[in-house]
Amino acid sequence: MNSQRSFIGFIVAGTIALLVIAIAGFYWFFAKSPANLIASTSQPGAAIFVSKLSPAMVSLLTNPDRLQALEREEELSKLKTSLFAKSGIDYKQDVQPWLGNEITLAIATLDIDRDSENGQQPGYLLALATKQPEKSREFVELLFSKRALAGATLAVEQYKGVKLISDNQPKGDLLAGAVVGEGFVLFANDPKVLRDAINNVQAPDLNLTSSPEYQKATKELPKGGLAVAFLNLPVVAKWQGLELPEQLYNSEIISLALNPKGLLAETTFLTSSEILSPSSPLSKPVGALQYVPASAGLAISGSNLSNLGNSDLAKLWRQATATVYGSGEDVVSRLAKPLVDVQKRWGINLPEDIFSWVQGEYAVALLPEKEQATPHWVFVVEKSESVEEGVARLDAIASSNGLSINTLTIDKQDKQDKQKISAWTELTTATKKSDVKEGASFTIETKVRGLHTALGNYEIFTSDLETMDEILTNKDNSLIDNPNFKDSIAAIPLPNQGYIYLDWIKSQDLLERQVPILKLAEVLGKPFFDNLRSLTVSSYGTDTRSLKGGVFFQLNNS
């Protein structure tokens, strides 16, 4: 068990870090030579070694050296050196000459010996494409000879025409390797994993390429993707020891491709069931965004929230968060804490008291403030009869919570006209400290708990008067006119279901407070996060057997 853990830590941490840092390298390389970074194939050739019961496979479909052309801080060089340092291998001399255009890492099996009594022992498979088979064979021989000199006990066997070498070092590092045919060098944390990989090639019905789910998924891949990952979602859940309450989606495939402004990660979730979109697709950004200030750190826009809870998108969210976290409740409460706080303070249920009457366009945004932990918020919804009823219902809830409903007026942008605003206010008392010795003296303060007003064809809600004033007096500085926002949504295909837009620079502090593990991700992918400006998420596609979407990462140009 310890030997496998040691190898797992070495391979998994190293390869994942390599892929993360390689992503950052895409940005630097793209400025001069985008054509050189188009992958020759959009599908990993190493899939023939991977079992169709594998929970996950991730592949880099280009040589990592091609990502290093404009590397600023030599992260790739440092990483490649550290990966081989313990084995006494020189990457430039021993690996670079033969390494081809693919690196694939797969969880080959959930339990190597299939014996549940001695615990689950996952098998990991690393496949490296080779362009010089003889050179790569020399490398494998060199690697294991150095390990033998370090005290490892070597075992050599011929298995179906392939020479397998394995060892078990005194400190517990178990490693097995082989060169298979003319195309790949394989490494694993147990010889049985290599034998299974060879069996998968010689019995095609066993490998991933024979899986109907994988075949359907690969049809969704765009041409020229530089990285791809495939997840067998039921097996992933089993790997995590989870029994999901609902299992709508069977598999997921993710691809990463370059864009002139950044990176586009497209993903498709596949199901054998008929699925329906939560709302009609939109051919352009919703008009509600014109009332969201450009200072927003997070903005979500779309149409029709009335059926969101029962939509296939919501089912996907519950399945995904349950798979990763065991429960979706914790992650939702962390990421949407300001809205959760509103629910608790007012005693409302967002799906029942708000989402149920939003049948047209909507936009909701958070505006982070460095001086305070809780950001301001904006909610814009297209007018309809149901909206009028919904506003009246919120007024009634506010009154039942002891809030007063007052009418205020505020200047519009041209300051020639006034805008009427309804405010939910609360009276509080405060003691004057200087008068305590002479007897208690109190002042009465009015705190605004929320505001709403009708403007154009929309009803606008805000958390505070300052945000409402910014919307009314500075309308030309809205998010929809922001150049960075325009560039981000331009990378997302139309029609789509709307956008989730995150300005990383403005929201970084807020997100780190709500999701502490994010700081660890930033350390692992430092060059990427240092250059990340924003990310935009959307879902699109018309296939009733799949849910397709993308995440666009906008990167700094300087």
Side-chain angles (χ1 to χ4, degrees):
M1 180 71 74
N2 291 335
S3 62
Q4 291 167 348
R5 284 178 179 171
S6 178
F7 176 79
I8 289 168
F10 175 76
I11 292 296
V12 176
T15 305
I16 290 177
L18 176 62
L19 294 178
V20 170
I21 294 174
I23 289 171
F26 296 167
Y27 157 67
W28 293 320
F29 194 93
F30 185 74
K32 288 187 178 179
S33 188
N36 292 337
L37 272 180
I38 299 300
S40 58
T41 176
S42 60
Q43 298 183 28
I48 60 174
F49 300 108
V50 180
S51 167
K52 60 184 177 182
L53 299 179
S54 165
M57 179 183 74
V58 60
S59 302
L60 179 65
L61 301 178
T62 190
N63 191 298
D65 291 319
R66 298 168 71 185
L67 305 175
Q68 198 173 332
L70 296 181
E71 187 186 3
R72 294 180 180 177
E73 299 180 27
E74 300 182 349
E75 285 85 1
L76 280 173
S77 297
K78 295 175 184 176
L79 179 61
K80 288 180 290 191
T81 299
S82 65
L83 280 174
F84 296 101
K86 292 183 179 179
S87 301
I89 296 295
D90 181 274
Y91 172 81
K92 189 172 182 179
Q93 177 179 325
D94 301 322
V95 180
Q96 191 178 57
W98 59 263
L99 185 61
N101 292 326
E102 179 180 338
I103 300 175
T104 290
L105 175 68
I107 304 166
T109 177
L110 296 182
D111 193 5
I112 294 174
D113 61 7
R114 298 179 177 84
D115 184 357
S116 58
E117 294 185 0
N118 62 3
Q120 194 176 68
Q121 304 174 47
Y124 290 82
L125 178 69
L126 178 65
L128 307 173
T130 176
K131 55 189 178 184
Q132 296 188 37
E134 287 304 318
K135 286 280 187 182
S136 56
R137 287 188 177 90
E138 292 173 7
F139 166 74
V140 173
E141 296 284 349
L142 174 65
L143 174 63
F144 281 96
S145 64
K146 287 182 176 291
R147 292 171 70 85
L149 291 174
T153 301
L154 296 186
V156 180
E157 64 173 300
Q158 288 288 332
Y159 185 77
K160 296 185 177 181
V162 179
K163 181 180 180 180
L164 306 184
I165 306 177
S166 60
D167 69 11
N168 192 354
Q169 288 204 26
K171 293 183 179 180
D173 273 337
L174 178 62
L175 180 67
V179 179
V180 182
E182 300 294 308
F184 284 93
V185 178
L186 304 183
F187 292 104
N189 58 325
D190 193 284
K192 188 177 187 307
V193 175
L194 292 186
R195 290 194 287 269
D196 287 344
I198 295 169
N199 292 339
N200 291 335
V201 177
Q202 298 187 356
D205 59 319
L206 298 178
N207 67 47
L208 193 56
T209 59
S210 69
S211 164
E213 287 293 324
Y214 183 75
Q215 293 173 3
K216 288 191 295 183
T218 53
K219 290 180 181 179
E220 302 293 333
L221 289 173
K223 292 182 179 179
L226 297 177
V228 62
F230 177 76
L231 302 177
N232 186 331
L233 298 178
V235 185
V236 171
K238 182 180 178 181
W239 180 34
Q240 299 296 316
L242 300 172
E243 294 184 8
L244 303 181
E246 51 183 334
Q247 179 76 57
L248 176 63
Y249 296 95
N250 303 317
S251 61
E252 176 188 8
I253 196 159
I254 307 166
S255 66
L256 187 68
L258 286 171
N259 180 284
K261 298 290 184 179
L263 307 169
L264 178 62
E266 283 197 322
T267 183
T268 302
F269 294 87
L270 296 108
T271 176
S272 55
S273 304
E274 194 85 5
I275 62 173
L276 298 174
S277 300
S279 60
S280 300
L282 303 168
S283 58
K284 61 181 181 180
V286 300
L289 286 168
Q290 65 185 296
Y291 299 110
V292 173
S295 58
L298 171 67
I300 304 172
S301 62
S303 67
N304 190 8
L305 287 172
S306 61
N307 191 43
L308 183 62
N310 296 319
S311 70
D312 297 307
L313 192 60
K315 292 177 182 177
L316 168 62
W317 175 257
R318 289 194 291 269
Q319 179 178 330
T321 52
T323 300
V324 176
Y325 294 91
S327 169
E329 295 180 1
D330 181 63
V331 66
V332 171
S333 63
R334 286 178 179 271
L335 293 177
K337 190 174 185 300
L339 301 181
V340 173
D341 291 343
V342 170
Q343 284 192 106
K344 292 180 179 179
R345 188 187 311 126
W346 283 37
I348 62 174
N349 181 288
L350 285 176
E352 294 179 6
D353 297 324
I354 296 182
F355 295 171
S356 62
W357 46 263
V358 179
Q359 298 175 359
E361 295 180 357
Y362 70 88
V364 60
L366 299 180
L367 287 70
E369 290 284 345
K370 290 186 178 181
E371 294 76 16
Q372 60 184 52
T374 304
H376 302 313
W377 54 261
V378 180
F379 179 48
V380 185
V381 59
E382 189 177 14
K383 285 183 181 178
S384 67
E385 290 185 8
S386 61
V387 170
E388 292 182 6
E389 296 173 359
V391 173
R393 184 175 180 179
L394 289 179
D395 284 339
I397 292 174
S399 296
S400 67
N401 280 278
L403 300 180
S404 301
I405 303 174
N406 300 301
T407 301
L408 308 174
T409 58
I410 192 171
D411 289 335
K412 286 188 176 180
Q413 187 174 12
D414 56 12
K415 299 187 182 299
Q416 300 297 317
D417 197 6
K418 303 285 186 180
Q419 178 73 25
K420 288 187 177 181
I421 300 170
S422 295
W424 298 306
T425 61
E426 178 183 13
L427 296 179
T428 61
T429 59
T431 303
K432 290 184 178 180
K433 294 182 179 180
S434 59
D435 296 333
V436 171
K437 293 182 180 179
E438 301 175 3
S441 177
F442 299 93
T443 59
I444 297 177
E445 298 179 351
T446 301
K447 291 188 176 181
V448 175
R449 297 302 186 186
L451 308 99
H452 67 89
T453 188
L455 194 62
N457 195 38
Y458 298 90
E459 190 78 21
I460 303 171
F461 301 82
T462 66
S463 57
D464 56 277
L465 193 57
E466 291 79 4
T467 302
M468 182 67 79
D469 179 65
E470 182 178 358
I471 294 171
L472 297 176
T473 61
N474 201 15
K475 184 184 173 185
D476 291 338
N477 191 27
S478 65
L479 185 65
I480 202 168
D481 296 319
N482 184 292
N484 291 322
F485 179 74
K486 287 183 176 180
D487 287 343
S488 292
I489 64 174
I492 303 294
L494 287 169
N496 57 51
Q497 301 295 332
Y499 307 102
I500 300 175
Y501 173 78
L502 175 69
D503 188 307
W504 173 250
I505 297 174
K506 296 174 182 174
S507 302
Q508 183 177 1
D509 291 342
L510 172 65
L511 291 172
E512 288 175 346
R513 288 196 299 268
Q514 305 299 343
V515 189
I517 197 173
L518 185 60
K519 291 184 178 181
L520 175 60
E522 292 175 44
V523 172
L524 293 175
K526 187 178 184 299
F528 176 70
F529 282 99
D530 284 349
N531 288 280
L532 178 63
R533 181 171 187 83
S534 67
L535 61 88
T536 306
V537 184
S538 183
S539 63
Y540 41 86
T542 57
D543 191 339
T544 59
R545 299 284 179 175
S546 65
L547 183 63
K548 189 171 186 176
V551 183
F552 178 68
F553 299 92
Q554 186 184 28
L555 301 169
N556 291 318
N557 294 322
S558 58

